[in-house]
């Protein structure tokens, strides 16, 4: 069965993150196939599986943007946080996944702070806004006119709103779509027919439409420039193909006109910088994946120690019960004491509680007998597991219920 689960869904991936037994994987895959109403064998064509330490490292890479189509993209972290929130809301998280998500969020922040993975914009929208910020150090007093209402302009509007631009005006052929976007970013909507009257107020003009001709013509910008009472730079970004903005406008004084070709050169260079920055980020991910794995192993070890104590108590209680029955049957106290001593001193009175071959590669056993040392336990375990096992860790517990615990690991 599945003890804990969460689902991460993005534009190019769907991941099911679980804490489950290995034999539960086929049932999980069959459930997924039925949910998606996919034919037999279809999902397997696109399936990848990570287990144990690999799954931890993968989750940290995803949260840090290292596993994205665009290295370092920030959106994936928000999507992971949404996945965590949904799973938490429907109560499918437990101690392991809750800690894994929080660990992933912390590592993603660390990667951003310690490396340059997220420092270089590689999406058109984000790069456009970053170029505008090079010209205007403070956007709070600037007015942005956005032409269009498609996905690109929507992203730019959100980025500008996030950076606190003073005023956003959305111009679109469909006033209804312009109003919808304007409400989201606390802006003002106008129709394309009214655009020329607002160009004189604009400090930033960014256009991305599917128009066949120029949306912003040279004559309109000349009239707008004449209305400006102060000399101030105007940032213009034409993201349309074919162009929305008359290229002759670039020759006007105080106008900085960029096109999608300028952005592509910036993005290509930034991609190289990001990929170089990804190398130290990968080192951080491996380090913190190992840290989480150690916590997980410690948690598993604690559960095993609990099992060992319970087993020791069961064995003690069973011996005492037999001793009481012998006393009740009239056996002498001396004989009963001898029975207890012989039973608890039997070197064979132990059991291997767990053997894990791939992940921890260890076996553990306990002996309930104060006369037996952990070294003798190790030797007996070597005999049982064969020559492949060599003792690396020996833990002794001097408590009244548990005498020795031996842990063996093999390469």
């Amino acid at each position: 069965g599945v003890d804990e689960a969460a689902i991460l869904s993005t534009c190019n991936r769907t991941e099911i993150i679980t804490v489950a037994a290995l034999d539960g994987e086929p049932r999980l895959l069959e459930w997924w196939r039925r949910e998606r109403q996919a034919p037999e064998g279809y999902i397997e064509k696109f399936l990848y599986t990570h287990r144990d330490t690999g799954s931890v490292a993968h989750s940290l890479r995803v949260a840090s943007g290292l596993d994205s189509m665009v290295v370092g993209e920030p959106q994936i972290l928000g999507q992971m946080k949404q996945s965590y929130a949904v799973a938490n809301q429907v109560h499918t998280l437990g101690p392991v996944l809750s800690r894994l998500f929080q660990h992933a969020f912390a590592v993603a922040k660390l990667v951003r702070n310690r490396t340059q993975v997220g420092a270089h914009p590689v999406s058109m929208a984000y790069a456009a806004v970053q170029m505008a910020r090079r010209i205007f150090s403070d956007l709070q007093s600037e007015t942005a006119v956005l032409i269009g209402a498609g996905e690109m302009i929507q992203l730019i509007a959100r980025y500008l709103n996030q950076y606190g631009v003073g005023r956003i005006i959305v111009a679109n052929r469909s006033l209804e779509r312009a109003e919808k976007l304007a409400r989201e970013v606390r802006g003002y909507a106008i129709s394309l027919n009214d655009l020329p009257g607002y160009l004189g107020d604009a400090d930033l003009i960014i256009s991305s439409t599917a128009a066949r001709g120029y949306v912003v013509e040279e004559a309109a910008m000349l009239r707008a420039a004449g209305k400006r009472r102060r000399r101030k730079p105007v940032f213009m970004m034409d993201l349309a193909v074919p162009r929305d903005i008359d290229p002759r406008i670039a020759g006007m004084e105080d106008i900085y006109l960029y096109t999608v070709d300028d952005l592509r050169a910036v993005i290509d260079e930034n991609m190289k910088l990001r990929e170089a920055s990804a190398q130290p980020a990968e080192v951080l991910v491996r380090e913190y994946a190992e840290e989480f794995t150690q916590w997980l192993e410690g948690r598993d070890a604690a559960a095993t120690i609990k099992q060992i104590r319970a087993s020791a108590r069961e064995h003690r209680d069973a011996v005492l019960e037999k001793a009481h029955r012998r006393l009740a049957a009239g056996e002498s106290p001396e004989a009963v004491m001898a029975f207890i001593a012989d039973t608890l001193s039997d070197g064979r009175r132990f059991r291997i509680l767990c053997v894990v071959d791939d992940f921890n590669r260890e076996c553990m056993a306990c002996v309930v007998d104060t006369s037996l040392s952990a070294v003798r336990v190790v030797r007996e375990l070597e005999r049982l597991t064969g020559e492949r096992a060599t003792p690396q860790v020996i833990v002794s517990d001097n408590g009244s219920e548990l005498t020795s615990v031996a842990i063996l690991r093999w390469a």
Side-chain angles (χ1 to χ4, degrees):
V2 175
D3 298 325
E4 305 176 36
I7 296 177
L8 172 65
S9 182
T10 73
C11 61
N12 70 322
R13 80 172 77 218
T14 299
E15 293 189 353
I16 300 178
I17 310 164
T18 66
V19 176
L22 287 178
D23 59 9
E25 282 186 17
R27 294 195 298 273
L28 187 62
L29 187 59
E30 176 60 22
W31 168 82
W32 196 1
R33 188 189 67 78
R34 290 198 309 269
E35 280 290 308
R36 305 309 302 168
Q37 298 180 344
E40 291 279 355
Y42 180 77
I43 288 179
E44 286 82 351
K45 297 177 184 178
F46 312 99
L47 182 69
Y48 55 86
T49 304
H50 298 281
R51 301 183 184 93
D52 305 323
T53 304
S55 65
V56 174
H58 175 73
S59 296
L60 303 191
R61 293 186 76 253
V62 169
S64 302
L66 299 177
D67 196 60
S68 301
M69 292 175 66
V70 177
V71 175
E73 64 153 323
Q75 290 88 351
I76 186 65
L77 182 58
Q79 291 163 334
M80 279 199 75
K81 289 182 177 180
Q82 184 180 11
S83 171
Y84 169 77
V86 171
N88 192 46
Q89 186 177 7
V90 296
H91 308 294
T92 59
L93 295 179
V96 175
L97 284 191
S98 292
R99 189 176 180 109
L100 177 60
F101 271 104
Q102 296 301 328
H103 195 66
F105 300 154
V107 171
K109 183 178 180 180
L110 201 64
V111 166
R112 295 271 166 183
N113 291 339
R114 291 192 184 179
T115 72
Q116 296 294 306
V117 164
H120 312 288
V122 291
S123 72
M124 289 285 189
Y126 192 70
V129 173
Q130 292 304 309
M131 288 184 72
R133 292 181 70 207
R134 293 179 188 175
I135 296 176
F136 303 103
S137 57
D138 182 8
L139 294 175
Q140 293 184 3
S141 59
E142 315 303 338
T143 295
V145 172
L146 306 181
I147 306 170
E151 183 178 353
M152 183 73 71
I153 291 296
Q154 290 174 26
L155 286 172
I156 290 171
R158 290 170 189 141
Y159 283 133
L160 288 173
N161 186 48
Q162 177 183 331
Y163 284 116
V165 70
R167 185 184 181 204
I168 295 178
I169 299 171
V170 182
N172 192 56
R173 196 173 304 280
S174 167
L175 185 59
E176 183 181 353
R177 291 190 65 190
E179 288 173 340
K180 181 180 178 182
L181 177 57
R183 281 194 300 270
E184 181 183 339
V185 295
R186 296 172 294 176
Y188 180 70
I190 61 173
S191 70
L192 274 184
N193 294 332
D194 297 328
L195 176 62
Y198 290 86
L199 293 176
D201 299 326
D203 301 296
L204 296 84
I205 300 172
I206 303 176
S207 185
S208 179
T209 76
R212 294 182 179 179
Y214 295 139
V215 178
V216 182
E217 297 180 343
E218 182 186 26
M221 278 305 296
L222 286 170
R223 288 193 298 271
K227 293 179 182 178
R228 292 177 73 87
R229 297 179 182 176
R230 53 198 169 91
R231 290 193 60 181
K232 191 177 178 183
V234 177
F235 171 85
M236 301 187 75
M237 175 62 69
D238 190 347
L239 298 175
V241 179
R243 291 187 177 185
D244 278 344
I245 300 175
D246 190 333
R248 293 176 296 180
I249 293 174
M252 294 175 58
E253 193 173 9
D254 297 326
I255 299 289
Y256 297 86
L257 174 60
Y258 300 93
T259 68
V260 69
D261 294 327
D262 298 315
L263 274 188
R264 280 179 181 145
V266 172
I267 288 170
D268 288 344
E269 181 61 29
N270 286 351
M271 277 299 296
K272 295 176 183 176
L273 292 172
R274 279 200 175 190
E275 288 168 1
S277 301
Q279 295 174 5
E282 293 282 6
V283 173
L284 279 174
V285 164
R286 287 194 296 270
E287 177 185 340
Y288 283 90
E290 181 62 30
E291 179 183 289
F292 185 86
T293 302
Q294 289 174 359
W295 170 81
L296 200 58
E297 288 179 345
R299 184 177 178 274
D300 291 342
T304 305
I305 294 294
K306 188 175 179 180
Q307 280 184 283
I308 290 172
R309 292 185 182 277
S311 177
R313 284 193 294 269
E314 288 176 7
H315 179 60
R316 176 204 62 190
D317 293 342
V319 171
L320 289 176
E321 184 180 349
K322 290 179 181 178
H324 283 302
R325 286 202 299 266
R326 291 193 175 204
L327 286 171
E331 199 167 334
S332 70
E334 291 80 5
V336 173
M337 288 297 293
F339 159 75
I340 294 174
D342 290 342
T343 303
L344 294 181
S345 64
D346 183 356
R348 293 168 297 176
R349 299 296 303 184
F350 64 89
R351 53 188 286 226
I352 298 177
L353 293 181
C354 66
V355 177
V356 184
D357 56 2
D358 286 325
F359 186 33
N360 293 322
R361 301 190 71 78
E362 69 182 24
C363 63
M364 185 180 289
C366 79
V367 177
V368 188
D369 184 358
T370 54
S371 67
L372 289 179
S373 68
V375 174
R376 282 189 60 187
V377 180
V378 167
R379 289 174 180 166
E380 187 61 22
L381 279 172
E382 286 177 331
R383 183 184 67 79
L384 288 174
T385 58
E387 294 181 357
R388 61 177 180 163
T390 55
Q392 292 182 345
V393 181
I394 298 174
V395 180
S396 295
D397 189 324
N398 295 322
S400 59
E401 295 179 348
L402 179 64
T403 301
S404 301
V405 176
I407 303 175
L408 281 79
R409 297 179 185 270
W410 53 90

